[in-house]
Amino acid sequence: MGIVRFALRWPYTFYVLALLVCFLGVTAIRVMPADIFPVIDIPVVTVIWQYTGLSTTEMEQRVTTYSEYAISTSVNDIKDIEAQTLNGISVQKIFFQPDVNLDLAISEIVAATNFIRVLLPAGIQAPIVVQYNASSVPVLQISLSSDTLNEQQLYDYGYYKLRQQLAPVHGVTFPTPAGGKYRQIMVDLDPAKLLA
């Protein structure tokens, strides 16, 4: 009841307070930074092994197991490791403690994976090591289809034409296109003619 009595006795005080709240609200809106994707540093690194021709079971036994063992014994501050194995692909997500030095952890992962490549199937390439960044979540995905172009021509169009047209846009990063078929050229050599 005291506030009501005060408001009836001094109404201009509440008018001034209402104007002050409106003024501070407008000022706060103008000054407050706005970002759709705020900066979120989640210490997660993904290691992707690729080896065409291995089944899921062989990929798990011959690549994923060795990689997990090498990473877990050589890299510090690991909280958890998740692995997913498909035909010819092994994807491992490595979750770190919040206070980890991520650059040092990535260099330790690269060193560990290079060290165990001698135990893996012959000819396997070094893995792709990617740091997860919440701000690099895809905003736009483009899917291409055509009634007149085959898969190779469509892949070439997406990779060489469409990707190059979008590249000058500021702040855009592009992964390589998924799907389609790579253009391949097969050359048959005659050793006798080469020696001649």
Side-chain angles (χ1 to χ4, degrees):
M1 283 308 264
I3 285 184
V4 173
R5 239 183 253 135
F6 183 77
L8 291 173
R9 181 171 285 174
W10 308 101
Y12 295 112
T13 305
F14 284 90
Y15 295 147
V16 171
L17 284 176
L19 287 173
L20 184 65
V21 167
C22 289
F23 174 74
L24 291 176
V26 170
T27 305
I29 288 172
R30 294 184 66 196
V31 174
M32 185 181 304
D35 192 357
I36 296 173
F37 295 110
V39 177
I40 302 171
D41 291 327
I42 301 172
V44 178
V45 174
T46 305
V47 178
I48 304 167
W49 291 93
Q50 295 177 335
Y51 192 77
T52 307
L54 286 184
S55 66
T56 304
T57 307
E58 289 178 333
M59 194 74 182
E60 183 177 2
Q61 292 172 351
R62 298 180 68 185
V63 177
T64 307
T65 305
Y66 287 117
S67 178
E68 282 182 339
Y69 177 74
I71 290 170
S72 64
T73 57
S74 303
V75 181
N76 298 323
D77 295 325
I78 292 178
K79 183 163 58 168
D80 189 24
I81 297 178
E82 293 179 2
Q84 181 180 14
T85 308
L86 305 168
N87 285 337
I89 297 175
S90 172
V91 179
Q92 298 161 11
K93 288 185 180 177
I94 304 156
F95 298 87
F96 290 96
Q97 300 294 339
D99 58 346
V100 70
N101 181 350
L102 210 50
D103 294 330
L104 178 62
I106 289 173
S107 65
E108 289 175 348
I109 290 171
V110 170
T113 54
N114 283 335
F115 179 73
I116 62 155
R117 280 179 55 199
V118 295
L119 302 173
L120 301 180
I124 193 166
Q125 298 295 318
I128 300 168
V129 179
V130 180
Q131 176 185 349
Y132 175 76
N133 187 355
S135 63
S136 64
V137 174
V139 177
L140 175 68
Q141 293 182 347
I142 299 174
S143 177
L144 301 176
S145 64
S146 174
D147 294 331
T148 57
L149 301 176
N150 62 27
E151 288 183 58
Q152 292 171 342
Q153 292 170 331
L154 205 56
Y155 180 87
D156 287 344
Y157 177 78
Y159 192 82
Y160 296 112
K161 297 273 178 140
L162 187 62
R163 198 166 189 259
Q164 300 304 323
Q165 291 173 356
L166 294 173
V169 177
H170 179 68
V172 173
T173 57
F174 291 103
T176 56
K181 291 185 179 176
Y182 302 107
R183 184 173 19 177
Q184 295 180 352
I185 299 173
M186 298 183 68
V187 179
D188 293 327
L189 299 176
D190 187 354
K193 292 183 179 177
L194 282 175
L195 289 174

